[in-house]
């Protein structure tokens, strides 16, 4: 049985990846942080049958910013594969906590790589890279050869992680790979990311549980996929003969405003747009303002135009997403409706 170690097990991707690997009969170890309130809600159900019987799912306390804990865990578990999904992953928040973001997102992977280098066991390594590294893009769509131009402390830290992963592969022959993943969402998405925020708010507005949704820049464009498809790509990347880096994306692009319109149409919630810039507003059929823009949700720097070209992954990994924007949104809406009626 293969043994995997996931840093970031309690996050959106960690929860989907753990399920995928358990299905593939891996023993899955996950690293969770100590927190004052419970942070395992996305994985609590994994303890439920049949997994609990097999005892193939084991959690450990740890922190990617703590070299001792990171090294000790790897040396104790001796996994075949490590997936580093741990990160301060919120771009806007990275402007508020830049040093911590650099430590966790940049130096975190270095700690893992250095431990793997010193290990007698050949451990494969996956680093959770991001389309944010393309930032102020000089090419549309973006692929593995596109120049990087990070526009946030988050993207800058992730770029260090990207290059150090590549360096350890080239210098020491490690099986170390970068996934350059474009935005991926799901019902498990963190509450403050824009898709989750929009779906949750519009479902609540439709059901008269909330009056308004406040947003920032609704004109940036993103390439959105489903996390379930994207964790499959992470696994495929580590199953190849040679280590390499891959762009993973849906290859389709929508603005935040278009995403709102898709969600509202599925909810049969008619929205009329009036005004411009910060004064733009969404009005419902009764003439009430239900969407407004607020300065505090705008970022010091924005990434305007992300669109992936995942040709390489589709050819070499034979990866193909099963979801599209419509099935993704429908699943997110269904989940929020369930939450409202609980
Ligand atoms: P997420 O939901 O924010 O999950 C991040 C995970 O990292 C959580 O389990 C979190 O623990 C953990 N973590 C944070 N700081 C840590 C630390 N110091 N030590 C140990 N664990 C720590 O993010 P996600 O959407 O699943 O994304 C997974 C990874 O892919 C991240 O590295 C993200 O930057 C990257 N990425 C995401 C996307 C996307 O669109 N989702 C796209 C490209 C790349 P808590 O639960 O305790 O907070
Ligand atoms: O913002 C705009 C915002 O926070 C998307 C992370 O998973 O994907 C994610 O980063 C866009 C931006 O995702 C609000 O300005 C408007 O242009 O959902 P987001 P992100 O910044 O693209 C990448 C690939 C990652 O790697 C990251 O870890 O939406 N926007 N109004 C807003 N965004 C938020 N969060 N909240 C708003 O109110």
């Amino acid at each position: 049985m293969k043994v995997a170690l996931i840093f970031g097990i309690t996050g959106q991707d960690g929860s989907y990846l753990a399920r995928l690997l358990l299905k593939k009969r891996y023993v899955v170890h996950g690293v969770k942080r100590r927190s004052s309130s419970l942070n395992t809600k996305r994985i609590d159900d994994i303890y439920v049958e049949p997994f609990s019987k097999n005892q193939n799912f084991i959690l450990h306390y740890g922190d990617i910013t703590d070299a001792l804990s990171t090294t000790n865990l790897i040396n104790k578990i001796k996994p075949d594969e490590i997936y580093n999904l741990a990160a301060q992953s919120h771009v806007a928040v990275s402007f508020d906590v830049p040093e911590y973001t650099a430590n966790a997102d940049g130096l975190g992977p270095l700690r893992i790589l250095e431990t793997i280098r010193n290990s007698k066991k050949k451990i494969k390594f996956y680093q959770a890279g991001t389309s944010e590294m393309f930032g102020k893009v000089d090419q549309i769509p973006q692929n593995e050869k596109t120049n990087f131009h990070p526009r946030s402390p988050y993207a800058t830290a992730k770029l260090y992680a990207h290059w150090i992963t590549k360096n350890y592969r080239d210098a020491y022959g490690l099986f170390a790979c970068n996934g350059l993943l474009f935005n991926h969402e799901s019902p498990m998405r963190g509450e403050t990311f824009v898709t989750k925020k929009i779906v949750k708010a519009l479902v609540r507005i439709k059901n008269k549980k909330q009056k308004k949704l406040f947003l920032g820049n609704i004109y940036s464009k993103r390439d959105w996929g489903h996390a379930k498809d994207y964790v499959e790509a992470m696994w495929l990347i580590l199953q190849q003969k040679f280590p390499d880096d891959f762009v993973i994306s849906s290859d389709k692009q929508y603005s935040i405003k278009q995403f709102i319109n898709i969600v509202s149409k599925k909810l049969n919630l008619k929205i009329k747009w009036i005004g411009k810039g910060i004064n733009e507003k969404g009005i419902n059929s009764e003439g009430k303002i239900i969407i407004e823009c607020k300065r505090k949700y705008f970022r010091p720097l924005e990434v305007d135009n992300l669109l992936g070209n995942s040709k390489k992954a589709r050819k070499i990994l034979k990866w193909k997403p099963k979801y599209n924007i419509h099935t993704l949104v429908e699943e997110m809406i269904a989940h929020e409706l369930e939450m409202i009626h609980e």
Side-chain angles (χ1 to χ4, degrees), residues 14-23 42-43 45-46 51:
S15 69
Y16 281 103
L17 181 64
R19 280 179 182 78
L20 177 78
L21 296 179
L22 286 166
K23 235 195 225 163
R42 292 189 179 101
I43 48 171
D45 62 309
I46 299 184
F51 301 128

Side-chain angles (χ1 to χ4, degrees), residues 35 38 46 59 132 144 157 203 241 256 260 273 339:
S35 71
L38 292 179
I46 299 184
L59 291 179
E132 281 295 301
E144 293 80 1
V203 166
K241 212 164 179 187
I256 313 301
I260 297 171
W273 293 96
M339 292 293 108

Side-chain angles (χ1 to χ4, degrees), residues 38-304:
L38 292 179
N39 60 356
T40 55
K41 75 169 184 341
R42 292 189 179 101
I43 48 171
D44 281 342
D45 62 309
I46 299 184
Y47 294 109
V48 175
E49 305 287 340
F51 301 128
S52 58
K53 248 191 187 165
N54 305 331
Q55 294 190 324
N56 280 348
F57 186 63
I58 304 125
L59 291 179
H60 308 263
Y61 281 109
D63 196 301
I64 198 84
T65 61
D66 180 331
L68 291 177
S69 114
T70 303
T71 300
N72 287 341
L73 279 172
I74 296 170
N75 288 339
K76 186 170 98 183
I77 296 162
K78 298 188 177 53
D80 298 290
E81 297 169 6
I82 296 179
Y83 296 85
N84 178 37
L85 314 180
Q88 190 302 95
S89 72
H90 204 285
V91 175
V93 173
S94 78
F95 288 95
D96 298 325
V97 287
E99 185 183 341
Y100 175 75
T101 303
N103 191 357
D105 301 14
L107 296 181
L110 173 66
R111 296 180 181 105
I112 299 175
L113 284 163
E114 189 57 19
T115 310
I116 296 177
R117 176 166 93 88
N118 290 319
S119 163
K120 287 200 186 85
K121 181 157 183 173
K122 282 207 178 316
I123 302 172
K124 293 182 177 180
F125 176 67
Y126 172 84
Q127 167 56 22
T130 167
S131 51
E132 281 295 301
M133 298 185 299
F134 297 123
K136 191 172 164 53
V137 299
D138 65 2
Q139 185 186 324
I140 302 168
Q142 298 90 44
N143 64 22
E144 293 80 1
K145 294 198 171 101
T146 304
N147 290 325
F148 296 120
H149 187 151
R151 300 264 285 173
S152 63
Y154 168 77
T156 308
K158 284 281 186 181
L159 193 52
Y160 174 80
H162 175 88
W163 281 112
I164 202 68
T165 299
K166 231 169 149 29
N167 278 195
Y168 270 58
R169 175 168 82 214
D170 296 342
Y172 308 120
L174 298 195
F175 198 107
C177 311
N178 291 294
L180 292 98
L181 271 54
F182 281 64
N183 299 51
H184 45 280
E185 320 293 311
S186 75
M188 295 298 116
R189 186 58 146 150
E191 306 276 333
T192 59
F193 294 98
V194 82
T195 58
K196 176 79 168 181
K197 192 172 160 183
I198 291 167
V199 175
K200 186 175 176 179
L202 293 185
V203 166
R204 288 173 61 80
I205 288 169
K206 170 84 186 175
N207 285 275
K208 306 217 177 305
K209 304 260 182 208
Q210 185 174 331
K211 290 207 167 111
K212 267 189 199 172
L213 163 64
F214 294 98
L215 291 169
N217 173 20
I218 57 172
Y219 287 98
S220 55
K221 294 181 199 145
R222 289 291 182 272
D223 174 330
W224 283 294
H226 195 302
K228 201 169 175 185
D229 282 331
Y230 287 40
V231 299
E232 179 93 41
M234 294 176 190
W235 175 75
L236 283 169
I237 289 172
L238 290 197
Q239 310 315 309
Q240 302 308 299
K241 212 164 179 187
F242 304 105
D244 203 350
D245 306 328
F246 293 90
V247 160
I248 305 296
S249 54
S250 79
D251 302 355
K252 302 229 160 34
Q253 184 192 58
Y254 302 89
S255 69
I256 313 301
K257 188 170 170 180
Q258 284 174 315
F259 185 86
I260 297 171
N261 289 335
I262 291 171
V263 178
S264 57
K265 200 164 172 205
K266 290 193 190 294
L267 286 169
N268 207 11
L269 190 66
K270 288 201 175 68
I271 299 180
K272 196 176 128 200
W273 293 96
I274 57 156
K276 279 213 164 110
I278 188 86
N279 296 318
E280 187 159 7
K281 293 175 181 33
I283 295 184
N284 71 6
S285 52
E286 293 156 19
K288 285 195 182 126
I289 298 170
I290 57 167
I291 302 174
E292 271 192 68
C293 294
K294 268 212 161 160
R295 261 211 208 283
K296 76 167 185 176
Y297 293 118
F298 283 74
R299 297 167 183 187
L301 279 177
E302 181 59 277
V303 170
D304 295 314

